[in-house]
């Protein structure tokens, strides 16, 4: 009999979304456990640099409706407009609440929260860039995480750090909790809860060049997917335009917000061609494609002409400010003060000093728009009829509300965490008052225990890193910024073959139980392979280009046929990850309310910037 803990609410993940949900569930009277594979303040939220968007209007006029409009437009009109509206409206008091909790935002001279520009954020329905991103230097996420963690401790949330969730316990279509491995001992533990909220973040590790931390392997999405929960909009994975060349480490869009410009190998500011009005601050999908187009037309920099530059040197920035009649000017001290971490990354990893020289950059796999389908209350839903899965919730990057549609705007993820994390927490607090525990099925740990033993004792010839590199290379090449049918079919075949080897021919070195990272990384690879397959399949089926999904063989957006979300579902009762279950893409999940009916300015248009 494995150790079993019982709590009203189990929150899986201690990033911004998990902590906000835990805080609110606890404030609402629930008895809450947070289960996290990382120590909470090591979560990826802590690396978020640029800012959190909210139409506070501290420096110039702003309006939540404009924020909602930008979110819908940036998402290439696939966003559920009710969710985008909730995001924009509730951002305002969520940010003020963070301030009241003690978050040290940068300030204006009058003492208000300072705001900066970010891609795709405009005033008056696309008129001109607006300062909407609230920031604490370039460490905004770090500050959010620290602030929320302190608040959770204060509100008696119980933390199970370094417990890795490896299975979701479903009983009769309802969620009864999770099975986790205590990493320090290798012991399996059951967490039995009335409500379980997944906030496990993204899965950028599917690709070889990514801004994501090593831990972002999609565990939460994969475990519920294997238990029959569909994955929504997996084809939409955002490539951030400015990753450090080859390393993928993110250079925040805040650099362009401060006036930084993109320059090709010929010294030209090329975004003028692609987005004549807002240039370097167009939305990320547009800028990433522009960079690839510059590179493929021979305008890249360096020996292989395979990167471009991001230039934030005062000399260049001030020249463009002057040319544009913009009265702003920056000095080396401003850059040092506003972007300290970025400067350090570049000096340490590249030997480039961004105050004096431009930084070599390339697009980097960054953010999952897709994931576990939920409604605006963070309840997970099963199908196009919005059928709620009792006891199962999701928030943050692992969830697909979908407020970001086909492409997320910068600063909107941090908003998503606090807005929908808070909604999730509040709803859970209500739910656990009226709900009973779903009974645990007999020996809920049995299946996953067998799978972990299979991996541990595998006598094959293939090591996990070989499969991981092959997957990452294939996904980068054929399921990256540009896609087409042949490459996608090829990628699907490669991923399936890799998964076959994963289930038949694996071997690892460490057979022990204490901090067996060898075992857990192999298990995580299984999650990545499952999600890579779903991503490639969804990308193959969507025969149009929209947001982050750009098909070379279907270049146009096709609103008549594809103004719908995709769901990929794993069928069959065979749940062992060692078999290859059928996948189908089958449902058109419609938006449940459209602001287009209320405001004609929200109706789909061809995007111009
Ligand atoms: C470098 C970088 C910069 C960014 N900058 C910005 C920005 O400026 N503005 C913005 O809006 N967005 C930004 N983003 C995006 C944003 O930071 C993320 O989308 C967001 O932080 C995700 O938060 P989360 O709470 O969903 O998950 P995360 O913060 O990723 O946390 C995931 C949690 O889940 C836990 N976990 C995962 N798997 C398991 C498991 N199997 N068992 C138990 N626990 C598990 C982890 O321990 C962790 O606590 C950035 C992202 C990156 C990578």
């Amino acid at each position: 009999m494995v150790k079993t803990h019982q709590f009203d609410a189990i929150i899986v993940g201690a990033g911004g979304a998990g902590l906000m949900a835990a805080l609110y569930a606890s404030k609402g009277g629930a008895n809450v456990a947070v289960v996290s594979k990382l120590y909470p303040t090591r979560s990826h939220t802590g690396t978020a640099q640029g800012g959190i968007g909210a139409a506070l209007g501290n420096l110039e006029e702003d309006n939540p409706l404009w924020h909602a409009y930008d979110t819908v437009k940036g998402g290439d009109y696939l966003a559920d407009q009710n969710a985008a509206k909730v995001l924009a409206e509730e951002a305002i008091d969520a940010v003020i609440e963070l301030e009241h909790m003690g978050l040290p935002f940068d300030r204006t001279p009058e003492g208000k929260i300072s705001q900066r520009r970010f891609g795709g954020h405009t005033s008056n329905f696309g008129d001109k860039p607006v300062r909407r991103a609230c920031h604490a230097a370039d460490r905004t996420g770090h500050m959010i995480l620290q602030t929320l963690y302190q608040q959770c401790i204060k509100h008696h949330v119980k933390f199970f750090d370094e417990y890795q969730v490896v299975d979701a316990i479903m009983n009769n279509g309802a969620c009864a909790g999770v099975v986790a491995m205590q990493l320090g001992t290798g012991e399996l533990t059951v967490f039995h809860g009335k409500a379980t909220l997944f906030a496990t973040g993204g899965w950028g590790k599917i690709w070889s060049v990514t801004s994501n931390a090593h831990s972002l392997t999609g565990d939460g999405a994969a475990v519920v997917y294997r238990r029959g929960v569909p994955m929504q909009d997996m084809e939409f994975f955002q490539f951030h335009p400015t990753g450090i060349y080859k390393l993928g480490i993110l250079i925040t869009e805040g650099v362009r917000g401060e006036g930084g410009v993109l320059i090709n190998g010929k010294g030209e500011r090329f975004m003028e061609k692609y987005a004549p009005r807002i240039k370097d601050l167009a939305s990320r999908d547009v800028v990433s494609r522009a960079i690839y187009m510059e590179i493929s037309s021979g305008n890249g920099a360096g020996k292989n002409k395979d990167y471009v530059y991001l230039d934030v040197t005062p000399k260049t920035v001030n020249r463009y400010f002057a040319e544009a009649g913009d009265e702003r000017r920056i000095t080396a001290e401003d850059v040092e003060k506003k972007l300290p971490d970025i400067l350090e990354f570049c000096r340490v990893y590249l030997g480039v000093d961004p105050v004096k020289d431009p930084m070599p950059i390339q697009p980097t796999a960054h953010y999952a728009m897709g994931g576990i389908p939920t409604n605006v209350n963070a309840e997970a839903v099963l199908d196009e009829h919005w059928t709620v899965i009792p006891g199962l919730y999701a928030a943050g990057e692992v969830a697909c509300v979908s407020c970001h549609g086909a492409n997320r705007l910068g600063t909107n993820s941090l908003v998503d965490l606090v807005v929908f994390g808070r909604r999730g927490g509040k709803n859970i607090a209500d739910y656990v008052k009226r709900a009973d525990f779903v009974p645990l099925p007999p020996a809920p740990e049995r299946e996953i225990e067998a799978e972990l033993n299979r991996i541990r004792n595998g006598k094959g010839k293939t090591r996990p890193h070989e499969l991981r590199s092959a997957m990452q290379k294939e996904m980068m090449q054929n399921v990256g910024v540009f896609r087409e049918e042949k490459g996608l079919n090829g990628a699907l075949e490669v991923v399936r073959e890799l998964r076959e080897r994963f289930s038949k021919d694996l071997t690892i070195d460490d057979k022990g139980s204490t901090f067996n990272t060898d075992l857990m990384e192999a298990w995580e690879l299984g999650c990545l392979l499952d999600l890579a397959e779903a991503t490639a399949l969804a990308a193959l089926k969507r025969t149009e280009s929209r947001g982050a999904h750009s098909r070379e063989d279907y270049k146009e957006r096709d609103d008549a046929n594809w103004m719908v979300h995709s769901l990929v579902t794993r069928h069959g009762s065979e749940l062992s990850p060692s078999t290859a279950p059928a996948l189908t893409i089958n449902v058109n999940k419609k938006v449940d309310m459209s602001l287009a009916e209320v405001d004609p300015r929200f109706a789909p248009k061809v995007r111009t910037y």
Side-chain angles (χ1 to χ4, degrees):
M1 182 66 190
V2 299
K3 200 185 280 172
T4 302
H5 295 285
Q6 214 181 45
F7 285 89
D8 291 336
I10 316 279
I11 310 291
V12 186
L19 293 181
M20 196 71 174
L23 180 60
Y24 269 87
S26 185
K27 278 185 175 181
N31 172 17
V32 184
V34 173
V35 183
S36 176
K37 71 176 176 181
L38 302 175
Y39 184 74
T41 51
R42 296 185 69 87
S43 305
H44 194 71
T45 297
T47 69
Q49 303 165 351
I52 175 166
L56 303 178
N58 283 355
L59 288 151
E60 51 198 337
E61 189 188 356
D62 204 356
N63 182 326
L65 198 62
W66 300 344
H67 186 182
Y69 169 85
D70 292 336
T71 303
V72 169
K73 177 183 173 189
D76 224 348
Y77 300 96
L78 193 69
D80 288 2
Q81 298 198 0
N82 62 325
K85 192 157 174 265
V86 165
L87 180 92
E89 282 172 352
E90 296 186 10
I92 295 178
D93 71 82
V95 165
I96 291 172
E97 191 183 359
L98 288 173
E99 182 189 29
H100 290 177
M101 287 178 192
L103 197 148
F105 283 111
D106 288 358
R107 302 276 159 190
T108 64
E110 308 79 61
K112 293 182 179 165
I113 295 175
S114 176
Q115 299 187 276
R116 59 162 69 119
R117 290 181 179 175
F118 242 78
H121 289 278
T122 67
S123 61
N124 203 14
F125 303 97
D127 196 21
K128 60 178 189 347
V130 70
R131 278 174 265 183
R132 187 176 286 150
C134 311
H135 52 90
D138 55 0
R139 303 184 184 118
T140 314
H142 173 85
M143 298 304 183
I144 291 180
L145 209 52
Q146 302 288 336
T147 304
L148 290 177
Y149 185 50
Q150 289 164 4
Q151 291 290 322
C152 282
I153 300 283
K154 181 173 160 191
H155 286 90
H156 313 294
V157 171
K158 173 101 176 97
F159 281 88
F160 291 85
D161 299 337
E162 298 185 331
Y163 278 72
Q164 184 155 1
V165 168
V166 283
D167 206 355
I169 306 170
M170 302 297 290
N171 197 354
N172 259 333
C175 185
V178 292
V179 183
M181 177 184 272
Q182 185 177 4
L183 296 172
T185 62
E187 249 180 298
L188 289 178
T189 304
V190 167
F191 288 88
H192 187 200
K194 291 181 180 174
T196 304
L197 180 138
F198 280 86
T200 48
W203 43 90
K205 282 288 159 191
I206 286 179
W207 288 269
S208 55
V209 176
T210 177
S211 66
N212 282 197
H214 281 292
S215 58
L216 291 176
T217 48
D219 310 3
V223 298
V224 299
Y225 174 49
R226 290 169 183 168
R227 293 286 176 196
V229 175
M231 289 291 109
Q232 181 176 331
D233 290 348
M234 292 298 280
E235 61 276 39
F236 299 110
F237 199 93
Q238 178 174 84
F239 279 70
H240 191 293
T242 59
I244 292 182
Y245 177 52
K246 283 199 173 153
L247 302 176
I249 297 174
L250 193 77
I251 308 280
T252 172
E253 203 166 294
V255 170
R256 282 172 285 142
E258 297 296 344
V261 286
L262 290 161
I263 304 283
N264 66 18
K266 295 181 170 161
E268 297 158 344
R269 185 185 185 184
F270 57 87
M271 280 313 296
E272 286 173 337
K273 281 188 276 184
Y274 299 94
R277 245 170 344 123
I278 65 174
K279 304 186 179 82
D280 303 86
L281 286 173
S283 70
R284 290 176 178 173
D285 53 337
V286 174
V287 182
S288 285
R289 278 194 291 276
I291 294 173
Y292 267 95
M293 285 190 291
E294 286 299 300
I295 290 171
S296 66
S297 49
N299 293 341
K303 198 163 64 175
N304 300 325
K305 293 191 181 306
D306 57 352
Y307 60 86
V308 296
Y309 291 112
L310 175 60
D311 193 340
V312 74
T313 58
K315 197 171 99 209
T316 307
V317 172
N318 290 337
R319 177 159 61 88
Y320 283 113
F321 277 161
E323 268 178 37
D326 188 326
E327 70 218 17
R328 287 181 296 163
R329 295 290 179 271
I330 59 165
T331 62
E333 292 74 54
D334 293 333
V335 182
E336 296 278 354
K337 203 162 117 216
K338 290 193 169 159
L339 304 163
D341 279 1
I342 295 302
L343 299 192
E344 195 180 321
F345 290 151
C346 289
R347 287 167 183 157
V348 171
Y349 295 113
L350 285 175
V352 167
D353 185 349
V355 177
K356 298 193 191 116
D357 295 303
M359 305 165 246
I361 56 100
Q362 74 178 119
T364 182
H366 184 57
Y367 181 84
M369 269 75 72
I372 302 170
T374 70
N375 59 27
V376 289
N377 295 325
E379 294 168 308
V381 298
L382 190 60
D383 52 31
E384 76 278 28
H385 308 296
W386 297 85
T387 311
V388 167
I389 304 170
L392 186 65
Y393 295 75
E397 190 170 339
V398 72
C400 182
V401 180
S402 133
C403 53
H404 309 303
N407 170 58
R408 172 178 71 80
L409 288 189
T411 79
N412 268 358
S413 172
L414 293 179
V415 188
D416 179 353
L417 309 184
V418 293
V419 165
F420 292 103
R422 181 168 70 173
R423 283 184 156 243
K426 282 185 182 169
N427 278 297
I428 284 176
D430 286 346
Y431 177 77
V432 300
K433 282 185 194 129
R434 47 190 163 83
D436 286 328
F437 281 94
V438 175
L440 288 173
E445 77 290 356
R446 198 162 42 209
E447 268 177 54
I448 189 63
E449 191 170 31
E451 170 62 2
L452 290 168
N453 283 335
R454 178 191 75 76
I455 298 175
R456 194 196 310 261
N457 302 319
K459 302 243 179 323
K461 291 183 289 302
T462 309
R463 292 186 187 270
H465 75 87
E466 298 168 41
L467 302 178
R468 190 181 308 110
S469 317
M471 169 193 68
Q472 290 174 334
K473 188 164 155 246
E474 182 65 27
M475 292 296 285
M476 199 72 197
Q477 217 151 41
N478 289 314
V479 198
V481 171
F482 288 106
R483 296 125 184 229
E484 45 80 39
E485 186 175 331
K486 192 157 156 264
L488 288 167
N489 270 320
L492 209 48
E493 222 172 276
V494 168
V495 170
R496 285 177 174 160
E497 190 224 305
L498 294 174
R499 214 189 30 202
E500 190 69 10
R501 285 169 65 197
F502 176 83
S503 47
K504 304 239 166 79
D505 191 37
L506 208 61
T507 182
I508 63 169
D509 293 325
D510 188 348
K511 312 286 179 202
S513 43
T514 310
F515 283 111
N516 190 340
T517 49
D518 216 13
L519 172 65
M520 294 326 283
E521 282 177 15
W523 177 80
E524 288 169 346
L525 169 65
C527 297
L528 289 171
L529 285 167
D530 282 357
L531 298 182
E533 182 186 30
T535 305
L537 182 71
L540 177 67
K541 296 287 175 184
R542 186 176 285 271
T543 49
E544 66 156 356
S545 289
R546 180 187 298 273
H549 174 66
S550 197
R551 288 279 302 248
E552 299 207 84
D553 43 357
Y554 296 92
K555 288 188 192 297
E556 301 300 318
R557 196 176 77 198
D558 177 1
D559 287 344
N561 295 305
W562 280 108
M563 192 61 148
V564 289
H565 299 291
S566 68
L567 296 180
V568 179
T569 314
R570 252 172 104 115
H571 287 294
S573 56
E574 181 56 74
L575 291 160
S576 158
S578 59
T579 59
L583 284 152
T584 53
I585 185 158
N586 51 4
V587 191
N588 295 337
K589 181 168 163 255
K590 304 274 184 201
V591 295
D592 63 345
M593 188 192 93
S594 171
L595 283 180
E597 290 158 19
V598 183
D599 189 328
R601 284 169 291 196
F602 278 56
K605 286 188 278 298
V606 174
R607 287 185 306 163
T608 52
Y609 283 102

